[in-house]
Amino acid sequence: MKEFGLFIDGEWHAAKGGKTAPTINPATEEPWATVAVADREDVRKAVAAAKKAHDRGVWRNKSPQERGEILQKVAMAMFERQDEIAAAEVQDGGGTMRKAMSMDIPGAAQTFMHFGQFICGDEYKAMICEEFDEMVPVPSKNLVVREPIGVCAGITPWNFPLIMAAWKIAPALAAGNTVVIKPASVTPVTALMLGEICTKAGVPAGVVNVISGPGGTAGEELAMHPDIGKIAFTGSTEVGRRIMQLGAGTLKKVTLELGGKSPNIILDDANLDTAALGALFATFLHQGQICESGTRVLVHEKIHDQLIEKMIAGIQRIQIGDTMDPTTGMGPLVSAAQRETVEKYVGIGKEQGAKCVVGGKRPAAMNKGYYFEPTIFDDVDNKMRIAQEEIFGPVVSVIRYKDEDEAVRIANDSVYGLGGAVWSANKDRAVAVAKRIETGTVWINDYHMINLRFPFGGYKQSGVGRELGKWGLAEYHELKHIHVGEDTPPEGKFYLQLLLN
Ligand code: NAD
């Protein structure tokens, strides 16, 4: 069995109290690694290491070019160790090897590559120091500079442990900050590995610290710690609310990437073959455990029957099974508890009158692992709980609409506002609909196509702030205005008369 400690100040440490916990492979239900469990004292040690590294300037005093080159080396180091990292990601979280190799590793490595390259370029140079000549209220040159915040905490969920850690570490480091990362306790391993990879690739000790521990203690300690300037949190809306409350004590900057119930709108002129398979991809990729999953399919009543037929036919092409087998498309849910949640919602859907047309149960062929069949509910009313609440599993609700206005009304009738899509042969028409949807991302004729250059985040209760792109990077800076006045005798300073006779 593999063993992992806490990664603090460039080295592996046991937890102060000596506590460890097993991490379970969701496909086998067996432990595959043990991980040190941080308590509050370990968190304080990690924050102290990050603060010391920041105060000494070992990272922020490097030029953007130097930092950018090291971030690009981190990306290359991830590719070099991709087999080992992918195996860990699959065993920790239950995703498929197919997804790990084509999404998790490249997605995380490219995040470092993207931010590394961006800060070496002219756009970043212009972004971190803008100059303005002004005559009012006095002649002056004005510099608007962006500086690192200091120690940033990243608290991440279990669904994309590696990518989420990369989304927190890479922009924070690009901006010159130091970090303490707390991955979810059920899937801590790849974030811990990433801490070591960063250090080996040239990030100075103390700049990246990764600790695994329970949200209620280790997470709360981070959210309250006075030496942390910013918290970047990804997880549930409920915990996001708590983080905001805890952070308020010391008025931390907070970005929150939270839950979703995203609308996937199929217009009546869509290519139905693509839209039907797209709807399956939107909901069942990674067993539906994706925040922006298109869990509400809104379909024009005219094409409803055809769409459902094509979706059901498409499901036959999804192979559920051994996560290590490259032909497997769907693995297990992350934990027994998560599968119970999904089962509870399937029961609620049936009780409230939705029609389960496929799935709704554990696959008969799998007697080990937290597997669940891809499930389609038809005849769903948007008021039903399965259409309003985040299930975070392979369950999609199909809802009919009569016209575009009704589709938009249903799409926006949600406390969430994270993602969504519009499928149509007419791109202008689709863009017009997209502009009326209250979510942070809308894809047209695609789904889940996250681009690191563009902002990602939520409207309403799906989040605060944005990640990725120059907009996400801006969230890791403090903004400073430096006013450079004229060096004149006192008579040149008219405002002195406001005080002096
Ligand atoms: P979660 O909110 O339970 O936990 C997320 C993280 O917060 C974990 O590291 C956990 O240990 C920590 N935590 C829990 N309680 C805490 C507390 N009181 N104080 C501080 N930290 C605490 O979420 P999860 O179950 O791990 O992940 C699933 C959720 O994440 C879903 O709601 C999903 O939509 C959301 N998510 C959102 C995005 C996005 O970008 N918007 C991406 C992925 C997942």
Side-chain angles (χ1 to χ4, degrees), residues 108-176:
Q110 279 160 14
T111 305
F112 281 89
M113 190 58 82
H114 165 76
F115 284 110
Q117 287 175 342
F118 184 78
I119 61 172
C120 290
D122 290 342
E123 199 176 344
Y124 187 62
K125 213 178 272 168
M127 181 175 156
I128 54 171
C129 188
E130 297 175 74
E131 279 188 33
F132 306 85
D133 287 320
E134 295 291 307
M135 291 309 292
V136 177
V138 287
S140 58
K141 182 182 279 302
N142 293 267
L143 308 179
V144 177
V145 295
R146 288 180 192 270
E147 297 178 342
I149 295 171
V151 183
C152 298
I155 302 180
T156 57
W158 47 256
N159 63 339
F160 282 93
L162 183 66
I163 289 184
M164 290 296 108
W167 282 23
K168 306 293 182 241
I169 299 173
L173 262 52

Side-chain angles (χ1 to χ4, degrees), residues 155-160 164 167 182-185 213-216 219-220 223 233-237 239-240 242-243 246 257-260 290-291 390 392 418 456 462 467:
I155 302 180
T156 57
W158 47 256
N159 63 339
F160 282 93
M164 290 296 108
W167 282 23
K182 194 205 83 62
S185 346
E220 298 220 347
F233 171 79
T234 300
S236 60
T237 294
V239 176
R242 175 89 184 128
I243 300 266
L246 293 172
E257 302 286 351
L258 308 174
I290 307 185
C291 50
E390 187 178 49
F392 230 55
L418 190 58
F456 182 79
S462 284
E467 290 193 301

Side-chain angles (χ1 to χ4, degrees), residues 286 320 367 374:
H286 198 31
I320 305 176
N367 54 12

